[in-house]
Amino acid sequence: MEPVLHQLGQRLIRCAPRTLICRKYTHGNGNGADHPSTGSSHTTPVLLVSRLYQPANLREVGQESRQAGEMTCKSQRLMQQAGLIHPSNPGCYYYLPATVRAMEKLVRLIDQEMQGIGGQKLDMPSLCSAELWRSSERWDLMGKELFRLQDRHGVDYCLGPTHEEAVTTLVAHQASLSYRQLPILLYQITRKFRDEPKPRFGLLRGREFYMKDMYSFDVSEEAARHTYDSVCQAYGRLFSRLGLRCLRVQADAGNIGGTLSHEFQLPADIGEDRLLVCGGCSFAANEETLAPGETDCPRCPAGPLAESKGIEVGHTFYLGTKYSRVFNATFSNHQNRPVVSEMGCYGLGVTRILAAAVEVMSTEEAIRWPGLLAPYQVCVVPPKKGSKGSEEGAAQTEGLVHALQGGLPRLRGEVVLDDRTQMTIGRRLKDAVRLGYPYVVVVGQGAQEETPRFEVICQQTDETMFLSKDQLVDLLGRVETV
Amino acid sequence: MEPVLHQLGQRLIRCAPRTLICRKYTHGNGNGADHPSTGSSHTTPVLLVSRLYQPANLREVGQESRQAGEMTCKSQRLMQQAGLIHPSNPGCYYYLPATVRAMEKLVRLIDQEMQGIGGQKLDMPSLCSAELWRSSERWDLMGKELFRLQDRHGVDYCLGPTHEEAVTTLVAHQASLSYRQLPILLYQITRKFRDEPKPRFGLLRGREFYMKDMYSFDVSEEAARHTYDSVCQAYGRLFSRLGLRCLRVQADAGNIGGTLSHEFQLPADIGEDRLLVCGGCSFAANEETLAPGETDCPRCPAGPLAESKGIEVGHTFYLGTKYSRVFNATFSNHQNRPVVSEMGCYGLGVTRILAAAVEVMSTEEAIRWPGLLAPYQVCVVPPKKGSKGSEEGAAQTEGLVHALQGGLPRLRGEVVLDDRTQMTIGRRLKDAVRLGYPYVVVVGQGAQEETPRFEVICQQTDETMFLSKDQLVDLLGRVETV
């Protein structure tokens, strides 16, 4: 089979036939496999846009609208058009490679924040036995929202939408749990299932989705409320690192149960929740928790609450002993007597956060990501093949990419090269703007000046700068990644 | 709530109440959250054994056997006793935190090797529509092995055991795929479902498990065979990095289909596959692919094949156009005419590799991991509280841990401190040996000599050394991590 040839300007660059990366631009021994930790065989690939499986690249213009089906909101439309997601069954999506990258970044952030407050990550089965769910009475209570099935022996299961039953029975099975070992905070980031009556809004309301669910076990209500607060603070830090404005509102506990509950809401017009927010204090509530006609803040004299709509991205519950009593999850107290644990549970919609971020940050035509979640940080656009100065431009591109790869370990795997040099810079730039790379570097006319300058478009701030190579390396060296 | 107190020798170390880590040992500003890439707020925690959710630590002696149920093989027994897995429904396990760590490392290794040959990671729905599976005729063919369910509208689905149908229809939906864009290699690492008639051997044969499944699309049979070989080579590199001896044997394609297939087998007594291996050349085959009574090597004159048993950890298939024809997955050739793609598919049993590695590397009493997969690399064991020299030992421990944390970024999060100082060194050492930390560092009598020496047990090689702090830092600085 022929090697794939990538042309940059007049320069012909011969690349490995079945990789995404151009060896010309690798830094290290180029043996393909990356061993980031060993330091011994260190390859820093440059990914080529023409090879990325992001169907926007594969599709003819005009094809998008036919493919997309019914687009119910901006994030769904933008994500489908950009080749980030592709519809499967109702409420089920393929997460395409760029989305997987964004999600892996979000998972790392969540891991950091959850482990920062003592969370330990486990992974529980999706198949949950009916017996377990009957014990908590949720088998009947959940109605049609549960996906139910039988195995080959006729035993009933559901696909877990949450795992209170599963985690409580796990902890209950551990003998001799001492009060000294509490609190225990266990969490997982796994695919969840919910047979929504009306799946819509792309990843915002699906039937399969990724959720972070954490469960806490404490010695007393006081301790459990302390844990509850520390999780809420961790959620606050997470959204702050993402640059997302998030409201914590008082919420209804629904069929999860418990006596204290908050939702974390991103204000957005398409939000399905109606919120009432006080202008005078930090009070905010889901409308469903207030008495009909209650319009004044119950906490301060500021007067009427303002209405807003929100996308729920997180939910916290203080559960008390609702589940621990049923499954007998106890610990030994100071007197070595068994006491039922006080529990909390805490969800974050992982795929929903991705879509909600795109929803609130993007324009109608162009995706914008929280900087930390962008699938790739930098896109380099070299000149059109055969254009004036394209040969020098290709050489400049090469030098630039070497400088970024060699000098900035944090940008490992974060730089893509738009090698579709049969297209004009303008047309590729339009794609780059639409896809929302935080930094787009154009190797244009300025690169052929005596002191070469690169055009840098910072899409997060909408600034355009003309920088020398050193200035550019300095700028990109300050990019935060996770 | 009282802060949790951790005593090391006579020294009282006050730790944050609800974290796993002891602030005394953190290096950096200790704000809880880790931001590894920013460099700005860099915390390196030391994890405390007493706080790890690894139920072996929580359980009374003698409890293990009662909890464990029927133990059908060594890896299952060791993994349950060590608090790595906990049984749920038949063939379904909780993966406890140490297992999640090992699995995350394995996933990183697999990502490196798959991306090294051009693989791009996506994530496909678990719910697969019956319609799709009827198109390939596998809806009926799979019989009782498929978990089947209906949604609230009565539509039939199965839980995907593999995703040939799903990925082929995805690729088929992309308009204008050019021959220049092939090969495309798409993979995912997700939970799979298979209603095994006899789930057993712990993670080796379960009903829910993690699998890496990759699918390739090529322009011709020749190109597809080239891709096939490059995947096999990547599998070879993976097992070689894990230090696992793996046989590639000719295999039956089963109900996946196709004309060329290999299994990757770890030789093991409990293996369910019977293999025949030539001593004279590289020929090896699953017994089911040979004619009954065929005992001589078909490739060389070396004579009779030797029998062996193996655990299948990987499987590769050249599929031809079996699925691409059905779903019309085509590309445009040089003449701009549509041609059906040539496909391959390639599986790795992710959770199965974890258990198989434990199965083949462990002794009857002690877990041994491939070094790269060990949940934690180093366990430090300080003296028993109140023992002779325990105060100096605690100070030595502190200095040592600081040196490891400060000097060895690769060991971030890889060092645990066995703070259960109410127990003798001997008893904790026994646990450490059983759990299989590659390096156990004992702060014993030698630490109080004029030139303090630490006892270092290298469990991978069964060596014991007495090293100064500098020598120890030097040794551990060479530990490979992923």
Side-chain angles (χ1 to χ4, degrees):
Chain A
M1 187 178 156
E2 285 288 296
V4 179
L5 303 179
H6 296 281
Q7 295 191 332
L8 282 175
Q10 306 297 327
R11 297 165 67 93
L12 202 62
I13 295 177
R14 196 168 288 268
C15 292
R18 49 199 65 238
T19 61
L20 309 178
I21 62 171
C22 189
R23 296 289 181 229
K24 186 78 181 170
Y25 290 98
T26 59
H27 179 254
N29 68 3
N31 70 349
D34 279 349
H35 307 188
S37 304
T38 66
S40 58
S41 57
H42 192 79
T43 306
T44 313
V46 173
L47 298 155
L48 301 174
V49 168
S50 70
R51 306 286 296 166
L52 293 180
Y53 188 74
Q54 188 164 1
N57 299 331
L58 305 176
R59 223 176 260 161
E60 281 169 340
V61 178
Q63 199 69 21
E64 291 107 5
S65 44
R66 263 187 286 150
Q67 298 267 335
E70 190 196 359
M71 301 289 199
T72 55
C73 70
K74 182 171 68 176
S75 58
Q76 182 185 10
R77 175 173 53 81
L78 289 171
M79 292 179 85
Q80 285 190 207
Q81 286 174 348
L84 291 167
I85 59 174
H86 184 80
S88 170
N89 311 307
C92 301
Y93 285 85
Y94 295 87
Y95 308 133
L96 298 175
T99 298
V100 170
R101 281 186 62 89
M103 185 158 78
E104 288 182 341
K105 292 176 182 195
L106 180 55
V107 166
R108 285 197 287 272
L109 273 177
I110 293 173
D111 281 340
Q112 289 172 7
E113 294 299 340
M114 293 305 107
Q115 291 172 19
I117 56 168
Q120 302 191 60
K121 194 176 188 178
L122 82 174
D123 191 321
M124 296 185 269
S126 292
L127 290 169
C128 299
S129 80
E131 192 193 337
L132 208 57
W133 279 64
R134 289 198 182 104
S135 304
S136 67
E137 298 177 0
R138 290 210 295 171
W139 183 258
D140 293 328
L141 199 62
M142 291 287 289
K144 290 191 166 180
E145 287 206 358
L146 271 190
F147 280 108
R148 297 162 204 255
L149 71 162
Q150 291 194 329
D151 71 5
R152 61 162 72 216
H153 309 294
V155 178
D156 286 318
Y157 292 90
C158 66
L159 297 177
T162 66
H163 286 70
E164 286 77 11
E165 290 82 356
V167 76
T168 311
T169 194
L170 171 70
V171 171
H173 268 85
Q174 310 315 328
S176 77
L177 182 57
S178 155
Y179 69 95
R180 286 184 228 94
Q181 293 169 303
L182 300 188
I184 290 176
L185 284 79
L186 299 172
Y187 77 101
Q188 61 177 354
I189 300 178
T190 55
R191 197 189 295 250
K192 305 298 193 296
F193 301 86
R194 191 183 292 269
D195 199 353
E196 290 284 349
K198 287 186 189 167
R200 58 176 175 162
F201 293 154
L203 303 193
L204 290 177
R205 188 164 290 281
R207 302 201 295 172
E208 272 195 65
F209 50 91
Y210 278 87
M211 187 168 87
K212 186 280 306 180
D213 43 329
M214 180 146 85
Y215 306 90
S216 64
F217 297 83
D218 265 288
V219 295
S220 66
E221 180 176 341
E222 191 195 348
R225 284 175 179 269
H226 188 104
T227 296
Y228 186 96
D229 288 340
S230 86
V231 178
C232 289
Q233 285 161 20
Y235 281 14
R237 282 192 295 273
L238 175 74
F239 291 110
S240 147
R241 289 176 72 188
L242 293 174
L244 293 170
R245 182 175 157 244
C246 188
L247 288 173
R248 176 181 149 176
V249 309
Q250 111 187 357
D252 187 61
N255 62 27
I256 300 270
T259 55
L260 171 71
S261 180
H262 289 90
E263 288 163 358
F264 289 75
Q265 296 269 2
L266 299 191
D269 287 345
I270 62 139
E272 298 185 271
D273 290 290
R274 299 180 67 84
L275 317 176
L276 292 165
V277 183
C278 180
C281 70
S282 66
F283 179 82
N286 192 311
E287 194 183 45
E288 66 197 18
T289 65
L290 298 178
E294 187 177 350
T295 55
D296 282 354
C297 180
R299 294 250 185 91
C300 83
L305 297 162
E307 282 191 35
S308 171
K309 284 181 181 172
I311 302 170
E312 180 193 333
V313 287
H315 205 149
T316 54
F317 302 85
Y318 163 58
L319 297 171
T321 57
K322 175 177 170 176
Y323 296 90
S324 45
R325 237 183 311 113
V326 171
F327 297 102
N328 199 33
T330 59
F331 64 94
S332 309
N333 71 4
H334 287 76
Q335 288 80 41
N336 209 24
R337 295 222 180 91
V339 179
V340 174
S341 303
E342 294 279 331
M343 287 179 60
C345 72
Y346 317 90
L348 282 177
V350 176
T351 34
R352 190 185 279 180
I353 289 172
L354 292 180
V358 168
E359 185 71 36
V360 301
M361 298 182 91
S362 302
T363 68
E364 284 300 324
E365 296 306 324
I367 291 176
R368 291 296 173 267
W369 292 99
L372 285 173
L373 301 188
Y376 300 98
Q377 292 295 331
V378 184
C379 178
V380 179
V381 184
K384 182 168 193 279
K385 180 174 60 184
S387 66
K388 181 164 167 278
S390 65
E391 195 168 341
E392 297 83 347
Q396 290 289 350
T397 303
E398 197 180 312
L400 178 64
V401 164
H402 269 294
L404 296 181
Q405 303 288 58
L408 304 174
R410 264 194 243 157
L411 290 186
R412 272 184 70 73
E414 295 288 336
V415 180
V416 303
L417 176 65
D418 195 340
D419 61 323
R420 300 173 303 165
T421 51
Q422 74 281 12
M423 291 163 60
T424 62
I425 284 183
R427 192 160 159 217
R428 283 175 288 156
L429 195 52
K430 208 172 144 191
D431 276 358
V433 169
R434 202 161 54 91
L435 294 174
Y437 304 97
Y439 299 90
V440 182
V441 180
V442 178
V443 182
Q445 296 300 328
Q448 278 131 63
E449 290 169 14
E450 206 179 302
T451 310
R453 301 269 149 186
F454 301 95
E455 183 179 351
V456 186
I457 302 153
C458 305
Q459 302 213 66
Q460 310 292 98
T461 57
D462 248 335
E463 285 173 286
T464 297
M465 295 180 275
F466 289 86
L467 302 180
S468 70
K469 190 163 87 180
D470 287 349
Q471 287 169 325
L472 181 58
V473 170
D474 186 54
L475 175 76
L476 296 180
R478 281 179 273 128
V479 172
E480 211 180 325
T481 57
V482 65
Chain B
M1 187 178 155
E2 285 287 296
V4 179
L5 304 180
H6 296 280
Q7 294 191 334
L8 282 175
Q10 306 297 328
R11 297 165 68 93
L12 201 61
I13 296 176
R14 198 169 285 269
C15 293
R18 51 198 64 238
T19 61
L20 309 179
I21 62 171
C22 190
R23 296 290 181 226
K24 186 78 181 171
Y25 289 100
T26 59
H27 179 254
N29 68 4
N31 71 349
D34 280 349
H35 306 186
S37 304
T38 65
S40 58
S41 56
H42 192 79
T43 305
T44 312
V46 173
L47 298 155
L48 300 174
V49 168
S50 70
R51 307 286 297 167
L52 294 179
Y53 189 75
Q54 188 164 0
N57 300 330
L58 305 176
R59 224 176 259 160
E60 280 169 340
V61 178
Q63 199 68 22
E64 291 108 5
S65 44
R66 263 187 286 149
Q67 298 266 337
E70 191 195 357
M71 301 289 199
T72 55
C73 70
K74 183 171 66 177
S75 58
Q76 182 184 10
R77 176 173 53 81
L78 290 172
M79 292 179 84
Q80 286 190 207
Q81 287 173 348
L84 291 167
I85 58 175
H86 184 81
S88 169
N89 311 307
C92 301
Y93 284 85
Y94 295 88
Y95 308 133
L96 297 175
T99 299
V100 169
R101 282 185 62 89
M103 186 157 79
E104 288 181 342
K105 292 176 182 195
L106 179 55
V107 165
R108 284 197 288 272
L109 273 176
I110 293 173
D111 282 341
Q112 288 172 7
E113 295 299 339
M114 294 305 106
Q115 291 172 19
I117 56 169
Q120 302 190 60
K121 194 176 187 178
L122 83 174
D123 192 322
M124 296 186 267
S126 292
L127 290 169
C128 300
S129 79
E131 192 193 336
L132 209 57
W133 278 64
R134 288 198 183 105
S135 304
S136 67
E137 298 177 1
R138 289 210 295 171
W139 182 258
D140 293 328
L141 199 61
M142 290 288 289
K144 290 191 167 181
E145 287 206 359
L146 270 191
F147 279 108
R148 297 162 202 255
L149 70 163
Q150 291 194 329
D151 71 5
R152 61 162 72 217
H153 308 294
V155 179
D156 286 318
Y157 292 91
C158 66
L159 297 178
T162 66
H163 287 70
E164 286 77 10
E165 291 82 357
V167 76
T168 311
T169 194
L170 171 71
V171 171
H173 268 85
Q174 310 314 328
S176 77
L177 182 58
S178 155
Y179 69 94
R180 285 185 228 92
Q181 293 169 304
L182 300 187
I184 291 176
L185 285 79
L186 299 173
Y187 77 101
Q188 61 177 355
I189 300 178
T190 55
R191 197 189 296 249
K192 306 297 193 299
F193 301 85
R194 191 182 292 268
D195 198 354
E196 290 285 350
K198 286 186 189 167
R200 57 176 176 162
F201 292 155
L203 304 192
L204 290 176
R205 188 165 290 281
R207 302 202 294 172
E208 272 194 64
F209 50 90
Y210 278 87
M211 186 167 86
K212 187 279 308 182
D213 44 327
M214 181 146 86
Y215 306 90
S216 64
F217 297 83
D218 266 288
V219 296
S220 66
E221 179 175 342
E222 189 195 349
R225 284 175 179 268
H226 187 104
T227 296
Y228 186 94
D229 288 340
S230 86
V231 178
C232 288
Q233 285 161 20
Y235 282 13
R237 282 193 295 273
L238 176 74
F239 291 110
S240 146
R241 289 176 72 188
L242 292 175
L244 292 170
R245 182 176 158 243
C246 189
L247 288 173
R248 174 181 150 176
V249 310
Q250 103 184 3
D252 186 63
N255 61 27
I256 300 272
T259 56
L260 172 70
S261 179
H262 288 91
E263 289 162 357
F264 289 74
Q265 296 269 3
L266 299 191
D269 288 344
I270 62 139
E272 299 184 273
D273 289 291
R274 299 179 67 84
L275 316 176
L276 291 165
V277 183
C278 180
C281 70
S282 66
F283 179 82
N286 192 311
E287 193 183 43
E288 66 196 19
T289 65
L290 299 179
E294 186 176 351
T295 54
D296 282 353
C297 180
R299 295 250 184 90
C300 84
L305 298 163
E307 282 191 35
S308 171
K309 284 183 182 171
I311 303 170
E312 181 193 332
V313 287
H315 205 149
T316 54
F317 302 85
Y318 164 58
L319 297 170
T321 58
K322 174 176 170 176
Y323 295 91
S324 44
R325 237 183 311 112
V326 172
F327 296 102
N328 200 31
T330 60
F331 63 94
S332 308
N333 70 5
H334 287 76
Q335 288 80 40
N336 208 24
R337 296 226 178 88
V339 179
V340 173
S341 302
E342 293 279 331
M343 288 179 60
C345 72
Y346 317 91
L348 281 177
V350 177
T351 35
R352 190 184 279 181
I353 289 172
L354 291 182
V358 169
E359 185 72 35
V360 302
M361 298 183 93
S362 303
T363 69
E364 284 300 323
E365 296 307 324
I367 292 176
R368 291 296 174 270
W369 293 99
L372 284 173
L373 301 187
Y376 300 98
Q377 293 294 332
V378 184
C379 178
V380 179
V381 184
K384 182 169 193 277
K385 180 173 61 182
S387 67
K388 181 164 167 280
S390 64
E391 195 169 341
E392 297 84 347
Q396 290 288 351
T397 303
E398 198 181 310
L400 178 65
V401 163
H402 270 293
L404 297 181
Q405 304 288 58
L408 304 175
R410 262 194 244 156
L411 291 186
R412 271 184 70 73
E414 293 289 337
V415 180
V416 302
L417 176 65
D418 195 340
D419 61 323
R420 301 172 302 166
T421 51
Q422 74 281 10
M423 291 164 61
T424 61
I425 284 183
R427 193 159 160 217
R428 282 174 288 155
L429 195 53
K430 209 173 145 190
D431 276 359
V433 169
R434 203 160 54 91
L435 294 174
Y437 304 97
Y439 299 90
V440 182
V441 180
V442 178
V443 183
Q445 296 301 328
Q448 278 131 63
E449 290 168 14
E450 207 178 302
T451 310
R453 301 268 150 186
F454 300 95
E455 183 179 352
V456 186
I457 302 153
C458 305
Q459 302 213 66
Q460 310 292 99
T461 57
D462 249 334
E463 285 173 287
T464 297
M465 293 180 276
F466 289 85
L467 302 179
S468 70
K469 191 164 87 179
D470 287 350
Q471 288 170 324
L472 181 58
V473 169
D474 186 55
L475 174 77
L476 296 180
R478 281 179 273 129
V479 172
E480 212 181 324
T481 56
V482 66

